[in-house]
Amino acid sequence: MTEPSPMRWWGWGDPAHPSVLSGRALELLRQTVGLSPDPRPPVALDAVALPASRLGEAKLDSLRAILGSDGVRVDHAERVRHAAGKGYLDLVSIRAGTPRAAPDAVALPDSHPQLRALLELAARESIAVVPFGGGTSVVGGVQPIAGDHPALVALDTGRMSAIRELDRESRIVTVGAGIRAPALERHLAAHALTLGHYPQSFEYVSLGGCVATRSAGQASSGYGAIAKMLLGLRLSAPAGDIDLPPIPATAAGPGLRELLVGSEGALGVIHEISLRVRPAPEERIDEGVFFESFQAGLDALRALAQEHAMPEVARLSDPRETWLSLALADSGGRESAGHTPGRLARELKQRLGRAYLGLRGFGEAATGRCLAILAFEGHSDEVDVRRSRARRLVRAHGGLLVGRSPGEAWRKGRFQAPYLRDELLTHGVIVETLETATRWSNMARLHAAVAAAIERALDAQGTPGIVMCHVSHLYETGASLYFTYIARQRRGAESEQWSAVKRAAGDAILANGATITHHHAVGLDHAPWLSREIGETGIAAIAAVKAELDPTAIMNPGKLALAGLANRV
Amino acid sequence: MTEPSPMRWWGWGDPAHPSVLSGRALELLRQTVGLSPDPRPPVALDAVALPASRLGEAKLDSLRAILGSDGVRVDHAERVRHAAGKGYLDLVSIRAGTPRAAPDAVALPDSHPQLRALLELAARESIAVVPFGGGTSVVGGVQPIAGDHPALVALDTGRMSAIRELDRESRIVTVGAGIRAPALERHLAAHALTLGHYPQSFEYVSLGGCVATRSAGQASSGYGAIAKMLLGLRLSAPAGDIDLPPIPATAAGPGLRELLVGSEGALGVIHEISLRVRPAPEERIDEGVFFESFQAGLDALRALAQEHAMPEVARLSDPRETWLSLALADSGGRESAGHTPGRLARELKQRLGRAYLGLRGFGEAATGRCLAILAFEGHSDEVDVRRSRARRLVRAHGGLLVGRSPGEAWRKGRFQAPYLRDELLTHGVIVETLETATRWSNMARLHAAVAAAIERALDAQGTPGIVMCHVSHLYETGASLYFTYIARQRRGAESEQWSAVKRAAGDAILANGATITHHHAVGLDHAPWLSREIGETGIAAIAAVKAELDPTAIMNPGKLALAGLANRV
C-alpha cells in the first residue's frame, strides 16, 4: 500500500500537486474583491521559528523507552508539520514562519500497549497530549495548547493503521484509527467494497480523526456521516480503556459510542474503529440540474430526501455560488490538470441557450437561477429506479436537467478547494468556509440570515466580499448549509478580520436555531458557541466525563470548550 | 383524544381485553412443559400489601404546593399501579399481593416549571425519584428503589403529553414526553403521517420512556429504532436542564443526544422530545416465507438488509418457534378475538401440502423449516419495487412464498403476547423473553449458544422447557435475536428459577460477543452484565455524568449499574 506523500507543511496537500488557479479566476477576483499588489508566498521551512523543545533528555529517554527511538521525533520538520492544522489562522501563521505554538516532540506509538504506556507516562509527567491523525482540522482541533502543563507532545496515530479484520459477511471493517482514507479505500476496493466516506480532506484525513470529529463526507446523503458508519471503537484515556465491540445496535444504557464520536481527542485517543462498508458501486451517474430559484431547489432536494430518491451526493448552489461556478467555468483562462471547465461552459451554453448568458456575468441577482449536482451510485438496477424517481421529482419542481457535465466537473475538482485557498493566500485573498445544519422549514431563513451577517461583517472590515452557499448532506428532516466567502485579506489584521466574520456568522447561526457545525467539529473555533448550543449543563456533563477519563487534563487542552481557556475568537 | 383505560395493576393491558389463551394451547402446554394443578389468579387489589407511606404531611404539602393537590397521589390504587413494571419478577410479586416495594407517593407534574420545582425539592429533601412513563419496563426499570433516601416518589409523566409542534415540512413532531404511542399515532394519522414506532408495549408505552430505554419497534428494520428518530430532547436533572433543539445532525462535540437516549431516568427526566415522522403508508403488504433451514433464512434476511430490499418488519422464526406457531395455529381450540389461526393453518396446508404435515407435529427437529414474516409498507410505487426485489432474493435463497396469511395472523396478534403471559402465569407457566443483537457472521453461533444455555439452565432447575427464537430488527451489519422460553414455574422458587436462566443466557450472550440487550434496556435485570459489555471505564464515564447531573443520586436509584447496589440476579 503506497503511503501518500507527506503534506505540505505550509498548506494543503501533495507537494507535487500542480497549480489550480486559472488566469481567469485571478482576473475575476482582481475585478471583484481585489488582489494584493504584494504576493506573499510561504517562507522556507528552515525559516520557521520554533521555540526550543521543553522536553529534556530525561523525558525524551522515557518516551523512547516506550516508543523506540524512531517513535519519538524532535527534528524541526516534524515539529513544524505537527504545529498546526489547516484552518485559516493556522495557515496565516505557519506560512509566515511564525506558528502560534509547536509540540515539543512528536510521539508515534505503533500499538495499544505503546499507546497506554505513553498516556500513563504523560499523565505522570504532566505532558499535554494532542492526538494528531491527518492533521486536517480546519477549526484549530490540533492546535498545540499545553494548558497548565510544562510540555506537549503531538501523538501521531499514523503507525496505528493496520487493517485488523474485514468481515465481508457482516460488512464491517476493523482498522487501526490512524489509517488514511485513501489507504482504506484501496484495501476495500480489492474486495469490491467501499466505505463511501469522502470529506474534502479525503486525500490526507485519518479515519480515527473522522470519528473524533463527527466527520461527514461529500456522499453522506447516501452513505451517512461517520457516526452512522461506526459500529465499534476502542479508546485509550489516561484513566483507562473503553473497548466497544462492533454491534449493529444496543440498548445497553446511554450511547457511549456516540459520546466518544466527536470527542476530539479531549477524552482520550481513539485507536481502533469498526466501520460499516458497502459494495463498491457498479454504477455512478452525475446529474446537473438548474432551478429557477433557490427555494425551488430546496423544495426539490427535500422531495428527494423524503420520497425515496435520496442521491448519494446532493449539492445545491445558491445564485451567487452558481454564478461564480459558471463564471469560472467559462473558458478563457488556462485549464488546470484534470479540470475541463471550458467543456462544461460550452455544453451548458448549448443546453441552456440564452438562459446561460444571464448566468455567466454579474447578473446573478436578476436571474436567481441555481445549479444543483446530484450523484447516484450503487447497484445498477437500484440506481436506475432511484434516479428515475429523482428525475421525476426534479422536473415536478421545475428543475431543468442539464446532463452529466456539471457533476463530472465537480467530481474532478472535489478535493481541489484547499489547494486553491493556498494559492489565493499568496495573492492576499482569504477564501474561508463555514457550515451548519437545520430543519427544512428553517433553511431559507437561515441561509439569508447567515449570508447577510457575513456580508455585513466583511463590509465593516472594509473588505467587501463574495458570499455564497450550497446545501448538501441531506436528511429527511433537514440538511447542511455550507458557506464560502472570498475577500481581500486585511494584511497584518488577518486574525481580527477573520474573527469578526466568524463571530457574526456564529451568532447568526445560533440566533436562528441551527447548529454551530454540521461536520467541521468544535476545536477552538466553535468553542465560544458550544455552551449556547448545548447549554452550561450540557457542557458540564461532558466536562464530567473528561474529568473521569483524563483527571489531569492532559488530553488536547483547550478544545471542546471544556478547559475554560480563553479562546481566540 | 381518548386516553387508554388504565392498565391492569396486576399484569398487562386493557382490563376489558378478552382471554387470548386457547384450549388447544393450554392442552399443548399441558403435554409439553406441564401445568400447575393449582391455578393461581392475582389477588384482589385491596389485598395488596403496601408499606405505609414514608412521606409525612409536611413533605406531601410541599409536593402539593408545587403540583396542586391532584398532582400528588397517595391512594392505594395509584401506589400499587406505580409499584412495579411488567417484568416477570414484577408480575410474580404483584399478583401475589406482595410487591417488592412501592412509591410513597405518585407525583404528576404537568409542566416544565412544575418538573423543575419537583426535582429541586426532591434533591433538597432527599426523596428518590423514579420516572414513570407507561410503566411497561420488562427489566425492572421502574422498580421503586430508594437507595440511601428515606422516601421515594414515582414521577408519572402522563400529564406532560401535549403535542407542542408538528413541522410537516421538516417532518418533525415535538411532544411532551409522557404522550402514549397510540395518542401520538392518532394525532399523526389525522395529518396522514406516522411515527412508525410499534414496540410490543405499543398500547401503553410513553414515547419519552421509549427514548429513555433505547426502544426499537417491530417495524424498526424500516423506520429505525427510536434513537434514529430522535432529533432533539429536553431533559431536566436535579443540577439543571439540557435542552437540545431538533437538528438533523451536528458535529458540535460528543453526542449528547445519544448519551441521553438510554439514560433510563437515572440522569434526569426527559420531558420533551422531537421525533422524525413519515407519511402514513399508502400500502402495506405482508409476506410469509418458508425456508428449508434457519441458515437459509438468515442468509435471505441478510440479503434483504444489504441489497436494498429491507422490509419494514422482518421476523424469522427458528425451527422451534415455527413449529409452535403452526401447532397453535392449527384449528382445534377456540379462536380468540381477532385471531384466525384456524384459517392460517388451513391455508398453509393447502399451499404446503405434505410439507405442512412435517411441520405441525413434534417433528420440527427433523424438518428444520423456518417461517419468516416480512412486511413492506409505504408509498405504493416504492413498496412494489422493493417487494419485488425482496421476493427475488427470497427465492434465490430457496424461500417458499406462502402468501399473506402468516403475516396477517402475526399482525393481528402482535400486541397479544403479554396478555397470554398473564394467563399462563395463572396456570403455573412462565413465558419469558430476552433479546440481543450481533453481526451477521456471528448470528448462527450466538443463536445456538444462547438457546443451549437456556435449555441447560431450565433442565438444571428441573423444569425442562421450550426454547425458541426469532431474528428481527435487521441492519446492514447484523440483527437482533429474540428468545422466548416456556416452562413450568417453580412455585415458591420463581426468582431462583428465573435468575438461573437469566444468568445462563446473559453469560452466553456476553461470551459470544453480543450485546446484553438490543431493545429492552438495562434496568435492574441487565445491570450485572453492563460492566462486561462497556467496561469499568465505560461505567465510570456514565457514572461521572450522573454525579454531575444528579449529585445526590435521587434519580432512579439502582438502575444502569451506576449505584453499586446489590442487584437481584
Side-chain angles (χ1 to χ4, degrees), chain B residues 122-484:
Chain B
R124 219 160 44 232
E125 301 284 352
S126 193
I127 301 171
V129 175
V130 177
F132 195 103
T136 63
S137 172
V138 291
V139 293
V142 294
Q143 177 76 6
I145 297 174
D148 298 332
H149 306 286
L152 178 148
V153 297
L155 192 162
D156 192 307
T157 60
R159 294 189 183 181
M160 298 186 292
S161 59
I163 311 259
R164 304 269 159 77
E165 185 195 16
L166 177 58
D167 178 348
R168 299 182 67 176
E169 184 177 351
S170 310
R171 293 192 178 164
I172 301 171
V173 69
T174 298
V175 294
I179 194 168
R180 304 293 175 100
L184 178 58
E185 286 292 355
R186 279 196 303 274
H187 181 86
L188 293 174
H191 298 272
L193 294 169
T194 182
L195 179 65
H197 189 67
Y198 289 92
Q200 195 175 65
S201 55
F202 175 78
E203 293 168 292
Y204 285 87
V205 82
S206 76
L207 270 310
C210 290
V211 171
T213 57
R214 296 196 152 258
S215 170
Q218 291 165 346
S220 84
S221 298
Y223 289 91
I226 200 84
K228 299 282 182 209
M229 300 176 180
L230 186 87
L231 283 112
L233 88 172
R234 299 179 65 197
L235 172 133
S236 280
D241 289 341
I242 299 181
D243 295 326
L244 302 173
I247 288 174
T250 170
L256 204 47
R257 281 168 184 75
E258 282 273 2
L259 180 74
L260 300 179
V261 177
S263 55
E264 301 193 16
L267 302 181
V269 181
I270 295 169
H271 63 93
E272 183 178 294
I273 52 180
S274 296
L275 299 165
R276 179 253 288 150
V277 297
R278 287 186 175 164
E282 276 180 7
E283 185 167 27
R284 178 179 288 138
I285 301 176
D286 295 319
E287 295 269 18
V289 189
F290 271 97
F291 291 101
E292 279 297 314
S293 68
F294 192 55
Q295 187 61 54
L298 282 175
D299 291 344
L301 261 55
R302 179 165 64 88
L304 298 183
Q306 294 182 341
E307 296 176 32
H308 303 284
M310 185 76 96
E312 271 62 33
V313 178
R315 190 182 160 104
L316 168 69
S317 294
D318 70 1
R320 191 63 61 98
E321 191 174 283
T322 300
W323 157 72
L324 190 68
S325 305
L326 294 178
L328 292 178
D330 209 352
S331 61
R334 53 190 276 274
E335 295 179 5
S336 62
H339 273 93
T340 54
R343 184 167 74 84
L344 169 60
R346 280 193 301 278
E347 287 190 16
L348 288 178
K349 268 183 208 165
Q350 283 166 14
R351 282 176 184 270
L352 296 176
R354 287 184 58 82
Y356 176 74
L357 299 177
L359 285 163
R360 59 168 281 280
F362 280 75
E364 85 280 4
T367 74
R369 284 197 187 80
C370 293
L371 176 61
I373 290 161
L374 311 175
F376 299 87
E377 63 179 59
H379 185 278
S380 301
D381 291 350
E382 194 280 324
V383 164
D384 289 350
V385 170
R386 187 154 43 98
R387 178 175 164 238
S388 301
R389 202 180 283 130
R391 289 170 66 100
R392 209 161 53 234
L393 289 168
V394 160
R395 287 202 191 93
H397 287 87
L400 178 65
L401 290 151
V402 295
R404 301 186 174 204
S405 301
E408 286 171 356
W410 167 80
R411 195 174 291 283
K412 281 174 184 149
R414 65 196 292 200
F415 304 134
Q416 307 277 352
Y419 291 97
L420 183 62
R421 178 177 63 154
D422 282 340
E423 290 194 71
L424 290 175
L425 282 177
T426 299
H427 293 280
V429 172
I430 171 174
V431 183
E432 178 60 317
T433 63
L434 56 93
E435 37 75 64
T436 177
T438 194
R439 41 161 108 186
W440 288 112
S441 61
N442 194 41
M443 198 78 72
R445 184 179 70 147
L446 181 67
H447 173 256
V450 176
I454 297 172
E455 275 171 16
R456 276 196 305 269
L458 285 171
D459 288 350
Q461 289 291 309
T463 54
I466 300 169
V467 181
M468 55 195 187
C469 180
H470 61 257
V471 179
S472 52
H473 308 286
L474 311 190
Y475 303 86
E476 287 174 72
T477 53
S480 169
L481 286 174
Y482 190 95
F483 292 88
T484 302

Side-chain angles (χ1 to χ4, degrees), chain A residues 162-402:
Chain A
I163 310 259
R164 304 268 159 77
E165 186 195 16
L166 177 59
D167 177 348
R168 299 182 67 177
E169 185 177 350
S170 310
R171 294 193 177 163
I172 301 170
V173 69
T174 298
V175 294
I179 195 169
R180 305 293 176 100
L184 178 57
E185 286 292 356
R186 279 196 303 275
H187 181 85
L188 293 173
H191 297 272
L193 294 169
T194 183
L195 178 65
H197 190 67
Y198 290 92
Q200 194 175 63
S201 55
F202 175 78
E203 293 168 290
Y204 285 87
V205 81
S206 76
L207 269 309
C210 290
V211 171
T213 56
R214 297 195 152 257
S215 169
Q218 291 165 344
S220 84
S221 298
Y223 289 92
I226 201 82
K228 299 280 183 211
M229 300 177 179
L230 185 87
L231 284 113
L233 87 172
R234 299 179 66 196
L235 171 133
S236 281
D241 289 340
I242 299 181
D243 295 326
L244 302 173
I247 289 174
T250 171
L256 203 49
R257 281 169 184 76
E258 282 275 1
L259 180 73
L260 300 179
V261 176
S263 55
E264 301 193 17
L267 302 181
V269 180
I270 295 169
H271 62 93
E272 184 177 292
I273 51 180
S274 296
L275 300 164
R276 179 253 288 151
V277 297
R278 288 187 175 164
E282 276 180 8
E283 185 166 28
R284 179 179 287 139
I285 301 176
D286 295 318
E287 296 269 18
V289 189
F290 272 97
F291 292 100
E292 279 298 314
S293 68
F294 192 54
Q295 187 60 54
L298 282 175
D299 291 343
L301 262 55
R302 180 165 65 88
L304 299 183
Q306 294 183 341
E307 296 175 33
H308 302 283
M310 185 76 97
E312 271 62 34
V313 178
R315 189 185 160 102
L316 168 69
S317 295
D318 69 1
R320 192 62 62 98
E321 191 174 283
T322 300
W323 157 70
L324 190 68
S325 305
L326 294 177
L328 292 179
D330 208 352
S331 61
R334 52 189 276 275
E335 294 179 5
S336 63
H339 273 93
T340 55
R343 183 167 74 83
L344 169 60
R346 280 193 302 276
E347 288 190 14
L348 287 179
K349 267 183 209 165
Q350 285 167 13
R351 283 176 182 269
L352 296 177
R354 287 183 58 81
Y356 176 75
L357 299 176
L359 285 163
R360 59 170 280 280
F362 281 77
E364 84 280 4
T367 74
R369 282 198 189 80
C370 293
L371 176 62
I373 291 162
L374 311 174
F376 299 87
E377 63 179 58
H379 186 277
S380 300
D381 290 350
E382 194 279 324
V383 164
D384 289 350
V385 171
R386 187 155 42 100
R387 179 177 162 238
S388 301
R389 202 179 284 130
R391 290 170 66 100
R392 207 160 55 233
L393 290 168
V394 160
R395 286 201 191 94
H397 287 86
L400 177 65
L401 290 150
V402 294

Side-chain angles (χ1 to χ4, degrees), chain B residues 484-519:
Chain B
T484 302
Y485 68 87
I486 308 176
R488 195 161 42 78
Q489 275 188 308
R490 280 188 62 199
R491 285 259 173 101
E494 291 90 350
S495 177
E496 185 189 322
Q497 177 192 29
W498 179 89
S499 296
V501 178
K502 189 74 185 167
R503 244 188 337 262
D507 288 349
I509 285 168
L510 269 284
N512 284 281
T515 179
I516 192 63
T517 175
H518 170 265
H519 60 270

Side-chain angles (χ1 to χ4, degrees), chain A residues 58-79:
Chain A
K59 285 189 182 163
L60 288 173
D61 282 345
S62 301
L63 287 169
R64 290 187 191 110
I66 293 167
L67 305 170
S69 54
D70 67 343
V72 184
R73 304 289 295 270
V74 290
D75 55 289
H76 183 77
E78 283 304 307
R79 289 181 66 210

